[in-house]
Amino acid sequence: MRLFIPDVSGAKSIVICEALRGVPGIELIGGDHRGYVRRLHSRHINRVVRYADPGQNPNAFIRDLQSICEKERIDRVFPVNSREYRLLLPHRASFNGRLDHLPTLEQFRKLDNKVEFSALAATLQLPVPRHYRLEDEPVTFPLVFKPAESASAKGVRYLHDRSELTRLRNTFSGSDYVLQEYIQGFGAGYSVMAINGKIIAGCGHRRRAEWPVSGGSSMVRSYYKHAGMEAVAEKVMRHLQWTGVAMFEFKIESSGNARLIEINPRWWGSLYQSIATGVNLPVISLFPDQSGTTTLREQTITYNSPWHLRSFAHYVLKRGDWKPIVYFLRHYLQAKADVSITRDPLGYLSGLLRFLS
């Protein structure tokens, strides 16, 4: 089976390639629009081809991927990021079955678009934060303002009082946003692989450090199990008859209740936590019969190197909070980097160069 992995300079793609490398019968072809990746890329990829920048020329990106699939005799395309899903799913039919392992565009939008997700949450009566319109008068502050389609906390704003809300009203117009109450508690996630609405594998994690520290991508995580998270995931997947992967983001309140913040209907930044814990979702997505053969390693800690150091610095300098650093040092022997400079030096340098460029 030949798999095509786009965006191979990204940490998520490198993690997926490492998870799949060595599986009998699988050959990994990587792609990227950055020229240096053809020489500087992960050791887990057989070879890399270049395509048009999807952000600058989406139509050329689609044509390039269709051509690559034919030339390289690709069996499946493994899109990683939201942008790739948004571009590829409308062209599903033209990829001749290579995208059939993914959800439909309609299903994807119900989770990807925060306005549509808000409507779904109301229909299913999910335990989500209270949502507002800009013209509403909220009961309490702070509030969280999010673009309808975003990832990794991009475009997220925190409103601490009515004056900040008033300024937002004066500068923003349109309906492609979500305004919701801010939930106090620690972050947690539940990652799943489902087929026709049935979850065949799942793994939970707790966020120990984030970037930005006000609430964003997880930089350090540990294994975490919560029955409430699992019940919500099962309800949503069953309702949508979902086929594919998804990661449910929660806040765990002091009462122990899990409040659903959002759902990532594609691969996510903390993916390596489930893999290192023993739930290899990339492999299970290809070979569902292996979902029952996992052995959990619950003591595993994972981190996003070297960006976790930036997160630690902000926790200390901005908040005077040493807990994330202390936790990490106490569990250092159980900690594993998502992309390691020793396991995959060129892949690590590729990601570093991407961040700096």
Side-chain angles (χ1 to χ4, degrees):
M1 180 187 297
R2 285 191 169 189
L3 303 181
F4 183 73
I5 316 290
D7 198 40
V8 290
S9 60
K12 289 187 291 186
S13 297
I14 296 172
V15 166
I16 290 172
C17 289
E18 181 178 3
L20 294 174
R21 182 63 185 253
V23 176
I26 289 184
E27 183 179 356
L28 300 175
I29 312 298
D32 210 298
H33 67 271
R34 301 165 182 86
Y36 65 82
V37 181
R38 297 191 69 173
R39 293 184 177 272
L40 187 66
H41 60 77
S42 171
R43 61 186 290 268
H44 304 296
I45 301 168
N46 294 87
R47 66 180 179 279
V48 173
V49 296
R50 192 175 182 183
Y51 51 66
D53 185 342
Q56 299 295 324
N57 197 335
N59 291 329
F61 167 74
I62 295 296
R63 290 195 298 269
D64 285 351
L65 257 62
Q66 291 170 335
S67 175
I68 290 168
C69 286
E70 296 301 324
K71 182 178 179 180
E72 299 287 346
R73 303 191 305 279
I74 299 298
D75 296 298
R76 285 193 187 183
V77 177
F78 243 57
V80 175
N81 300 314
S82 296
R83 180 170 62 184
E84 295 160 3
Y85 273 79
R86 292 167 191 157
L87 292 175
L88 288 170
L89 287 178
H91 299 273
R92 185 191 192 107
S94 67
F95 277 84
N96 300 319
R98 297 181 178 97
L99 298 176
D100 286 355
H101 59 289
L102 303 177
T104 66
L105 177 62
E106 181 183 5
Q107 290 172 321
F108 177 77
R109 282 190 56 82
K110 288 184 181 299
L111 301 186
D112 177 60
N113 184 281
K114 293 177 176 59
V115 175
E116 292 199 26
F117 168 66
S118 179
L120 176 69
T123 299
L124 298 182
Q125 297 183 316
L126 301 177
V128 296
R130 182 174 178 178
H131 285 68
Y132 299 95
R133 297 170 300 173
L134 273 182
E135 60 268 26
D136 291 339
E137 290 299 327
V139 178
T140 60
F141 286 87
L143 301 173
V144 184
F145 175 88
K146 302 178 180 179
E149 293 183 351
S150 65
S152 303
K154 294 179 181 177
V156 174
R157 306 184 197 179
Y158 294 89
L159 311 178
H160 297 90
D161 53 42
R162 294 189 186 278
S163 64
E164 294 183 358
L165 177 58
T166 299
R167 285 196 295 270
L168 188 67
R169 286 170 175 163
N170 292 335
T171 58
F172 185 85
S173 63
S175 59
D176 290 336
Y177 65 87
V178 168
L179 186 66
Q180 63 187 35
E181 67 173 318
Y182 178 81
I183 303 299
Q184 299 287 347
F186 64 82
Y190 187 60
S191 310
V192 305
M193 170 63 200
I195 297 179
N196 297 325
K198 179 179 175 57
I199 295 177
I200 62 172
C203 186
H205 70 272
R206 174 174 175 172
R207 296 178 171 214
R208 299 291 180 171
E210 297 176 305
W211 178 262
V213 299
S214 56
S217 299
S218 64
M219 295 292 104
V220 180
R221 326 113 190 154
S222 61
Y223 175 77
Y224 182 70
K225 184 175 178 61
H226 191 291
M229 297 197 305
E230 297 175 13
V232 168
E234 289 174 359
K235 188 174 187 178
V236 174
M237 296 289 95
R238 183 171 60 250
H239 175 80
L240 293 178
Q241 286 296 291
W242 187 268
T243 292
V245 296
M247 197 274 279
F248 292 70
E249 294 189 16
F250 294 86
K251 279 288 190 73
I252 309 300
E253 299 176 296
S254 57
S255 63
N257 292 330
R259 300 284 294 276
L260 178 63
I261 305 301
E262 63 183 29
I263 304 174
N264 297 314
R266 38 77 180 163
W267 300 103
W268 48 93
S270 56
L271 171 63
Y272 188 60
Q273 177 63 39
S274 64
I275 296 171
T277 302
V279 185
N280 193 326
L281 291 172
V283 171
I284 292 171
S285 69
L286 293 175
F287 306 103
D289 58 327
Q290 295 192 19
S291 61
T293 62
T294 58
T295 300
L296 291 181
R297 298 181 287 273
E298 299 181 1
Q299 303 306 312
T300 301
I301 311 295
T302 62
Y303 60 99
N304 187 353
S305 173
W307 325 127
H308 68 302
L309 300 176
R310 175 183 59 179
S311 174
F312 289 161
H314 276 249
Y315 273 103
V316 173
L317 298 176
K318 300 290 186 180
R319 293 187 170 187
D321 184 359
W322 289 81
K323 288 185 291 186
I325 297 178
V326 172
Y327 177 86
F328 183 75
L329 293 177
R330 286 180 57 191
H331 299 87
Y332 184 73
L333 293 180
Q334 291 83 40
K336 297 182 178 181
D338 296 351
V339 180
S340 167
I341 195 169
T342 55
R343 294 198 316 265
D344 190 3
L346 292 184
Y348 186 92
L349 292 175
S350 174
L352 185 62
L353 181 59
R354 169 174 168 163
F355 176 80
L356 296 175
S357 60

